Amino acid sequence: MGWLLMANLAHDCSQLILTLTLTLSDMGWLLMANLAHDCSHGALSRYPVVNYIGAFFGSFPFGWSVVCWWLQHVVSHHQYTNEVGSRWDLGGVWVG
């Protein structure tokens, strides 16, 4: 009977560890992606070098390039916000 209790305890612990791992990794992703996004818009600091460093540290763990993200998101996506027919967003499809 003791082995059955130990097996249940091990199963419960593994579920807890999996849940914590997924939750903490998701929270980390959201925090880092938010840091990279806000810094790419220049929203963290009035000093561009601080924003660049923040964007680098927010994007580096995911293998993102700060420059590529800035070109795709800030220049390509936000340049034509609310202008019908002039946004290049969805994988090569013109969106209005």
Side-chain angles (χ1 to χ4, degrees):
M1 243 359 195
W3 64 270
L4 186 57
L5 291 174
M6 291 303 288
N8 282 336
L9 179 62
H11 178 69
D12 291 343
C13 286
S14 66
Q15 284 183 334
L16 176 63
I17 289 170
L18 178 63
T19 302
L20 286 174
T21 301
L22 293 175
T23 301
L24 293 175
S25 64
D26 287 347
M27 288 172 50
W29 188 91
L30 289 172
L31 288 170
M32 297 306 279
N34 190 36
L35 175 66
H37 179 267
D38 288 352
C39 287
S40 73
H41 284 288
L44 182 67
S45 171
R46 63 181 172 180
Y47 303 106
V49 69
V50 173
N51 287 314
Y52 182 83
I53 291 169
F56 176 78
F57 282 110
S59 61
F60 177 75
F62 307 110
W64 298 345
S65 165
V66 175
V67 175
C68 288
W69 169 255
W70 186 80
L71 287 172
Q72 186 279 329
H73 184 73
V74 178
V75 175
S76 185
H77 174 71
H78 285 297
Q79 184 176 10
Y80 299 110
T81 303
N82 297 330
E83 292 184 26
V84 176
S86 56
R87 280 185 30 208
W88 182 259
D89 278 332
L90 300 175
V93 178
W94 283 99
V95 180

